[in-house]
Amino acid sequence: MSNTASGGASSAPDAEGHRLPTNVYPSLYELAIKTDLVASPPTFSGEGIIHLDIKEDSSSIKFHSHKTVTITHIAISTSDLKTTSNLNLPLSALTLNNENEVATLDLSSLPGGGLKEGQKNTKLFVRWEAELKSAMHGYYRSEGDADENGKKPIYGLTQFEATEARKAFPAWDEPLVKSKFAISMIAREKNTSLSNMPQISEKPWKAPSNASIDNVFSESYELGSLLGGTVQLGKTEGETKLEGKTEGKTEGKTEGKTESNEEGWKITKYETSPLMSTYLVAFASGGFASLESAHHSKLTGKTVPLKIYATKDQIKQAQFALDIKKWALPVYEEIFDIPYALPKLDTLVAHDFDAGAMENWGLITGRTTAYLYDPEKSPLSAKKRVAVVQCHELAHMWFGDIVTMKWWDNLWLNEAFATLMGELVILDRIWPEWKPRSQFLKSHLQGALDLDSQRSSHPIEVDCPDSNQIAQIFDAISYSKGASVLRMLASVVGEPTFLKGVSIYLKKHIYSNAETKDLWDGISEASGLDVAKIMKNWTLKIGYPVIKVEESGDGKIKLTQNRFLSTGDVKPEEDETIWYVPLEVATLGSDGKVSVDHKATLEERSSTYDLKGSDSFKLNADTVGVYRVSYEPSRLVKLGKEASKFTIEDRVGLVSDAANLARAGYAKTSGSLSLINEIAKGGEDEFLPWSQMNSALAKLSGVWWEQSEAVRSAISKLRIDLLKPQVERLGFDGSKDEAPEVKELRELVIGAAAASGDEAVLKEIKERFAPFLASGDDSKIPPDLQRIIFTYSVEHGGVAEYEKMLSVYNKAPNPSTKVDAMYALTSPKDQGLLDRTFKMLNDGSVKDQDLYIFFFGLTANKYARRRLAEFFVSDFDVLMKRYPDGYGVNYLVKGAFQSLSSHEDLKMVQDFFKDKDIRKYKSAVAQSCDSIQAAADWLQRDSEDVEKWLKENKYL
């Protein structure tokens, strides 16, 4: 992949034909979308008049379309200074390349053989129709929960990122091509329609019986008139629909649909939008209820209406998500000094949603777990998820919506900023008690370091010419590593200066497109530093360094940087990058105070640093840098004893580095076990260090899962020994006003103790579940411990416990409880009960959006792990048909295979995929193989070392 950022769209398509030429540019889309939810199957149809700027003489027009959309009519209108001409074009003039989803319209029949540069008032009319499928991309249908009569509400909504607008209307479906949109929605009278902009009118609608394509460009024509009644084709040559054909099979047909005779339609028109990219267009139609509030902007003095929509049975749980918009928007406006740009901001909560949420401008959408919260029954984790998701999507109103990346190679400009702002900066200002600056290490930095340590990783800025592969870069590199390097940069220049630079960047590119260089220019202007030079290799190169620390005994240390790989086998050609590394050297003075050198950097392969007499030091203070540090064994022992004198973030980084360096073969696992033992028994009682220690021990247990019973039992004894004091100190019940991190620590240690087989913990779990099993009384199940109690009750229970969870799953009171039930259903030891769960995966019991949760639950269950891999292999064809566009498959591949840990497993996975077309999930396959390789190598290399340590410490 190229390491250079792309500029604008090229003047001709790329070699694969996925990029459009720039000879024609749409300035305005007038769209009318008719949704029939009563038809069987549900359908939608549309009309569009697309206003075109002609940049070059053109004998053809290229735009994006999809084989599932049937284009039925097409016409073009042009004018010059003297004449105006309308031409209804034969469908034979339009061809569709199914591979790159580019339609080509031949204009050679126009006077002069095509369009001329600068030709005025050029408009393209298109009519189309399609089935409203349950695909979770394009314009699709979603099903709500059944009511008391067993009826499920059906509604339509859109998900267009990255390249799915073409599944709803003909489009120049690239982020650089910004246009205005004037949208009308035609729907049943009882339904509510939504779009990006505010409604300007709504009235009854009935298609005129004499509608004709001959007058679609007349001033009297109302867009949408050809979407009902008897269509008169007029002068159109031929009535054959444009249909994509694949391997002789016709796609995109809606013949055979049954349209309801029920009368009563309405048309809702919306204001014309500002310039925006197609992937941000949104609309929806269905039976929605709403809550409302308002944002009063100090910058403009205007009031912006805020609403949240959901089905009526769920709307009462949407208040918290609505409140967040009201709280967070003023903070964003203050930081960026730019007001929220649109006249309203809605959120729509969907039952079927592939991603977590989507930042459609003015109409944010997302799944129920992202936006619904029950203050009485939902755990803290659910509350934090709603806050994080809403703040993340609100950040996109600036990063992505008002300023948009030029192409998907700069996706990180959207996602990394939304992650940093929405999940750290804004959270810290609204909920400082959640300690989001510290939590960032757990939620993002560690995941970024894990993925980016794999050979199959990619640079933050990744060349992505093939639209089939774009979905794969929506990963921890674009989100978490991107946000982590921005956090590191903010530490280097100072956060106020960093945010000032961000504001400069946004103001310079408002309503336009940008690339990484533009951001660096803004921060350079604010800081006076050459930010592009500092950050170049962090965004353009793959991976990150490990800093080796060598002590010479003269008060100086030698520091050397090399690329870090989880498999520990870096090749010379993979180790050519030199990063700008802020060393952030923390030294412990004789007075017990820690001071940090913020100016020290490593900008070459190797250098020395003078400790100035200090014998106690640690690099990467507060773990702000995106790198690992490898100390000599004696220094690691000393740091373990001194750990409490450093910050929480330091202790998290210390444990993370030691454990991951051991797994990769840079050190022995026994060293990291000694460090964890020292810190845990040294009085550590903070959640984040415990979370990191538990993660390290859980990975050890996970990789050693097929070793001898004696060794596995010894690892469990170690975990229980370290956890027991915390379990006994915290108990199962907390006070209502206790700190959030205390709640999280309780959940962590009780869950880890249960996973390790602590008999006392499992006994109490059984006792607390018993009233719920008998009568539905959940008063002894704290919301924060519900998933743990559900999961281990099923694991150590039988049919009764399983069926209780099945009933909860089928009628859950809130989204987080439904997810808890999913994990419980994946946790049995009993193979007969697991048979029932595996059957659910294919019998319609599990929504497409939730299948990955079942996969992650099953791979965490050692009694189901191999069965899951076998299930994926045996049902591969079924799964591919279920996810024909590849979305979702990335998670399924990782869930099915990345927890395996032998070289035989690695060969099996490689052999299975070697003859498959994996273009749309190639990264997931490679990353899973890297994970298996690293685990198998670790096990082979350190199994004796681990056994020796366990024996020396009386666990074996």
Side-chain angles (χ1 to χ4, degrees):
M1 293 184 179
S2 168
N3 287 326
T4 57
S6 79
S10 57
S11 60
D14 62 279
E16 296 292 328
H18 292 273
R19 300 291 295 273
L20 295 175
T22 56
N23 59 321
V24 174
Y25 197 102
S27 59
L28 169 66
Y29 293 77
E30 296 179 72
L31 302 176
I33 307 294
K34 180 187 177 188
T35 308
D36 192 348
L37 298 172
V38 180
S40 179
T43 62
F44 72 95
S45 52
E47 290 182 21
I49 293 178
I50 306 171
H51 300 238
L52 301 175
D53 293 337
I54 311 305
K55 304 291 188 181
E56 302 172 12
D57 290 358
S58 303
S59 60
S60 66
I61 294 175
K62 291 182 183 289
F63 55 84
H64 290 110
S65 188
H66 194 268
K67 64 186 179 183
T68 55
V69 174
T70 300
I71 293 177
T72 61
H73 302 76
I74 194 158
I76 195 162
S77 173
T78 65
S79 68
D80 52 30
L81 293 176
K82 296 180 180 179
T83 62
T84 298
S85 64
N86 301 337
L87 185 65
N88 305 328
L89 298 172
L91 290 173
S92 60
L94 190 62
T95 57
L96 176 63
N97 183 322
N98 283 330
E99 175 64 24
N100 57 29
E101 299 170 353
V102 172
T104 302
L105 179 62
D106 181 3
L107 301 177
S108 60
S109 60
L110 266 64
L115 300 171
K116 302 302 180 185
E117 181 180 350
Q119 198 157 7
K120 303 295 182 182
N121 298 319
T122 301
K123 300 176 184 178
L124 178 68
F125 173 86
V126 188
R127 184 197 181 277
W128 64 93
E129 58 186 27
E131 181 182 338
L132 191 68
K133 296 182 177 181
S134 57
M136 297 192 294
H137 291 92
Y139 187 33
Y140 70 96
R141 75 174 185 265
S142 179
E143 279 191 358
D145 297 326
D147 60 18
E148 59 273 11
N149 299 316
K151 186 176 181 181
K152 293 182 178 181
I154 297 175
Y155 52 95
L157 75 154
T158 57
Q159 170 58 29
F160 290 160
E161 190 177 37
T163 58
E164 312 302 324
R166 64 195 68 173
K167 293 180 179 177
F169 58 91
W172 277 252
D173 204 8
E174 298 179 359
L176 181 64
V177 186
K178 286 196 167 188
S179 311
K180 294 182 178 181
F181 291 83
I183 295 175
S184 299
M185 295 291 290
I186 300 169
R188 302 283 179 182
E189 283 184 337
K190 64 182 179 180
N191 286 336
T192 299
S193 293
L194 305 171
S195 190
N196 304 83
M197 299 298 290
Q199 173 184 318
I200 53 176
S201 70
E202 188 170 85
K203 63 181 182 182
W205 179 87
K206 186 174 182 179
S209 59
N210 62 346
S212 169
I213 194 170
D214 292 338
N215 63 2
V216 294
F217 295 115
S218 68
E219 291 185 7
S220 62
Y221 182 79
E222 182 175 46
L223 198 65
S225 294
L226 290 178
L227 298 180
T230 302
V231 176
Q232 297 178 7
L233 294 176
K235 298 176 183 178
T236 306
E237 296 181 20
E239 301 176 13
T240 306
K241 298 177 181 180
L242 174 75
E243 298 168 343
K245 296 183 190 298
T246 307
E247 297 179 359
K249 180 181 177 183
T250 300
E251 299 286 338
K253 288 186 176 180
T254 57
E255 286 89 340
K257 71 178 184 289
T258 302
E259 185 169 280
S260 166
N261 292 321
E262 177 188 341
E263 294 296 324
W265 295 85
K266 63 183 177 182
I267 184 169
T268 308
K269 295 185 178 181
Y270 301 91
E271 292 181 20
T272 301
S273 75
L275 292 171
M276 66 178 179
S277 304
T278 51
Y279 80 90
L280 295 169
V281 175
F283 41 85
S285 180
F288 306 126
S290 66
L291 301 172
E292 57 185 285
S293 183
H295 161 59
H296 306 287
S297 174
K298 291 182 179 180
L299 294 181
T300 65
K302 295 180 180 179
T303 296
V304 178
L306 307 174
K307 284 189 175 183
I308 191 163
Y309 292 85
T311 52
K312 66 179 182 179
D313 61 312
Q314 294 188 327
I315 193 64
K316 63 182 181 295
Q317 295 182 31
Q319 184 65 50
F320 180 56
L322 177 64
D323 290 341
I324 294 167
K325 286 197 286 191
K326 183 178 180 179
W327 300 334
L329 281 172
V331 184
Y332 276 117
E333 290 193 341
E334 177 188 349
I335 290 174
F336 298 143
D337 193 34
I338 299 172
Y340 171 70
L342 296 190
K344 61 93 174 174
L345 180 55
D346 297 335
T347 301
L348 173 62
V349 185
H351 289 81
D352 298 275
F353 205 82
D354 187 54
M358 177 62 205
E359 67 270 18
N360 311 302
W361 209 1
L363 178 55
I364 298 169
T365 50
R367 59 170 63 199
T368 55
T369 52
Y371 286 117
L372 300 183
Y373 171 72
D374 180 347
E376 296 300 319
K377 292 293 185 181
S378 297
L380 174 63
S381 59
K383 183 176 186 179
K384 292 175 77 170
R385 173 160 168 76
V386 173
V388 160
V389 171
Q390 187 72 292
C391 288
H392 179 108
E393 302 309 324
L394 291 174
H396 277 306
M397 300 300 106
W398 286 264
F399 290 99
D401 294 8
I402 199 167
V403 178
T404 311
M405 77 263 153
K406 289 182 176 179
W407 182 246
W408 299 104
D409 55 357
N410 275 242
L411 171 69
W412 85 284
L413 286 178
N414 287 11
E415 298 302 350
F417 262 105
T419 301
L420 181 74
M421 297 303 304
E423 305 185 35
L424 190 154
V425 176
I426 301 299
L427 283 191
D428 190 48
R429 299 196 181 197
I430 301 177
W431 295 280
E433 67 275 16
W434 290 351
K435 298 183 178 179
R437 293 183 182 274
S438 303
Q439 291 269 353
F440 185 89
L441 275 65
K442 178 178 183 290
S443 56
H444 289 289
L445 178 60
Q446 298 306 324
L449 293 173
D450 284 350
L451 180 54
D452 207 31
S453 69
Q454 295 187 335
R455 184 169 273 113
S456 53
S457 183
H458 62 82
I460 288 176
E461 291 185 61
V462 55
D463 192 25
C464 200
D466 184 348
S467 57
N468 283 320
Q469 298 178 16
I470 292 170
Q472 298 181 71
I473 63 173
F474 284 78
D475 62 8
I477 302 300
S478 297
Y479 287 70
S480 298
K481 185 186 178 185
S484 297
V485 299
L486 290 175
R487 170 177 172 262
M488 180 171 65
L489 176 60
S491 176
V492 170
V493 304
E495 189 170 296
T497 301
F498 173 82
L499 293 175
K500 174 66 175 175
V502 169
S503 178
I504 292 170
Y505 157 77
L506 289 172
K507 288 177 179 178
K508 283 187 176 181
H509 301 280
I510 198 165
Y511 296 110
S512 187
N513 297 80
E515 55 192 344
T516 300
K517 177 184 177 298
D518 302 318
L519 173 63
W520 298 156
D521 288 347
I523 301 175
S524 292
E525 183 177 331
S527 66
L529 298 174
D530 187 348
V531 174
K533 180 182 177 183
I534 292 171
M535 299 303 293
K536 178 181 177 182
N537 285 347
W538 288 108
T539 60
L540 295 178
K541 300 294 185 181
I542 191 172
Y544 61 87
V546 55
I547 309 301
K548 183 178 181 181
V549 182
E550 297 176 274
E551 300 183 41
S552 57
D554 59 357
K556 295 180 181 179
I557 51 177
K558 181 182 178 183
L559 307 174
T560 305
Q561 62 166 293
N562 297 97
R563 183 179 170 192
F564 176 77
L565 277 182
S566 61
T567 45
D569 55 349
V570 183
K571 301 170 185 175
E573 63 270 23
E574 297 172 319
D575 194 23
E576 296 175 349
T577 305
I578 302 295
W579 287 270
Y580 178 102
V581 180
L583 292 171
E584 298 291 303
V585 183
T587 52
L588 187 62
S590 56
D591 57 359
K593 293 182 179 180
V594 175
S595 58
V596 180
D597 182 352
H598 296 293
K599 294 183 179 180
T601 61
L602 180 61
E603 301 175 52
E604 51 196 326
R605 177 68 67 190
S606 186
S607 183
T608 58
Y609 180 84
D610 190 346
L611 293 169
K612 296 182 173 59
S614 176
D615 186 44
S616 298
F617 69 91
K618 180 191 172 295
L619 271 63
N620 200 9
D622 287 333
T623 315
V624 297
V626 185
Y627 58 90
R628 297 202 182 279
V629 183
S630 176
Y631 299 99
E632 295 178 352
S634 58
R635 175 59 56 182
L636 195 61
V637 171
K638 188 168 186 178
L639 281 168
K641 297 181 184 301
E642 297 170 338
S644 62
K645 297 176 183 177
F646 292 97
T647 66
I648 291 173
E649 294 86 349
D650 280 324
R651 301 200 292 277
V652 170
L654 194 61
V655 173
S656 174
D657 287 353
N660 282 279
L661 287 164
R663 281 198 292 272
Y666 291 81
K668 287 293 185 183
T669 302
S670 54
S672 64
L673 291 175
S674 294
L675 177 70
I676 291 170
N677 197 42
E678 182 71 44
I679 294 175
K681 294 182 176 178
E684 181 61 71
D685 58 7
E686 291 284 352
F687 165 65
L688 286 169
W690 266 108
S691 176
Q692 195 60 54
M693 290 188 291
N694 180 63
S695 175
L697 294 174
K699 284 183 178 179
L700 177 71
S701 180
V703 171
W704 264 249
W705 69 293
E706 291 181 309
Q707 299 307 293
S708 70
E709 172 62 30
V711 171
R712 287 187 283 117
S713 177
I715 294 172
S716 294
K717 287 178 184 177
L718 163 64
R719 296 179 72 186
I720 293 169
D721 185 42
L722 299 182
L723 292 162
K724 203 165 194 66
Q726 296 295 330
V727 173
E728 292 175 347
R729 178 175 72 89
L730 295 167
F732 273 64
D733 297 304
S735 61
K736 202 170 183 69
D737 59 349
E738 68 184 359
E741 64 266 25
V742 175
K743 292 177 184 287
E744 291 172 311
L745 181 58
R746 176 182 294 108
E747 180 183 358
L748 174 82
V749 297
I750 289 176
S756 303
D758 186 309
E759 292 183 3
V761 168
L762 292 174
K763 180 174 180 289
E764 181 152 0
I765 284 173
K766 183 176 182 179
E767 291 171 353
R768 287 174 176 267
F769 188 76
F772 182 63
L773 179 62
S775 64
D777 177 7
D778 64 356
S779 60
K780 291 188 176 183
I781 303 177
D784 293 310
L785 300 181
Q786 180 174 270
R787 182 174 301 176
I788 294 166
I789 291 173
F790 282 4
T791 297
Y792 292 101
S793 293
V794 171
E795 180 179 327
H796 296 277
V799 174
E801 288 80 4
Y802 183 92
E803 292 188 344
K804 184 66 176 179
M805 283 299 96
L806 195 58
S807 68
V808 172
Y809 171 73
N810 288 327
K811 200 166 182 61
N814 56 62
S816 59
T817 294
K818 190 176 185 74
V819 174
D820 293 346
M822 292 181 205
Y823 279 109
L825 291 172
T826 64
S827 65
K829 292 180 181 179
D830 181 83
Q831 292 299 316
L833 296 176
L834 282 173
D835 286 343
R836 295 175 63 176
T837 298
F838 275 100
K839 183 181 177 184
M840 289 174 63
L841 303 186
N842 272 341
D843 69 1
S845 300
V846 179
K847 283 178 174 280
D848 288 351
Q849 68 159 12
D850 295 329
L851 188 60
Y852 82 95
I853 297 175
F854 279 80
F855 267 51
F856 285 173
L858 288 165
T859 199
N861 179 356
K862 64 184 180 183
Y863 302 101
R865 190 170 296 161
R866 291 209 171 277
R867 285 193 62 178
L868 179 62
E870 292 164 3
F871 171 83
F872 184 97
V873 169
S874 64
D875 281 52
F876 176 77
D877 291 339
V878 174
L879 291 170
M880 293 306 105
K881 289 178 182 177
R882 192 167 175 178
Y883 300 91
D885 297 311
Y887 297 104
V889 177
N890 290 294
Y891 292 117
L892 302 186
V893 169
K894 291 184 178 182
F897 299 115
Q898 69 177 6
S899 294
L900 301 178
S901 56
S902 74
H903 292 107
E904 291 76 19
D905 293 326
L906 177 62
K907 186 177 186 305
M908 178 272 291
V909 175
Q910 291 171 333
D911 288 347
F912 175 72
F913 284 110
K914 69 182 179 182
D915 61 349
K916 306 291 190 296
D917 180 2
I918 61 171
R919 285 176 297 169
K920 294 181 179 180
Y921 50 93
K922 180 180 179 181
S923 293
V925 173
Q927 289 161 12
S928 296
C929 288
D930 281 350
S931 294
I932 299 170
Q933 177 81 58
D937 289 353
W938 180 29
L939 184 60
Q940 187 178 63
R941 183 179 56 246
D942 269 13
S943 58
E944 291 184 6
D945 178 61
V946 168
E947 285 191 37
K948 181 181 176 184
W949 189 92
L950 291 170
K951 287 177 180 176
E952 289 175 349
N953 287 272
K954 313 300 183 186
Y955 296 110
L956 181 61

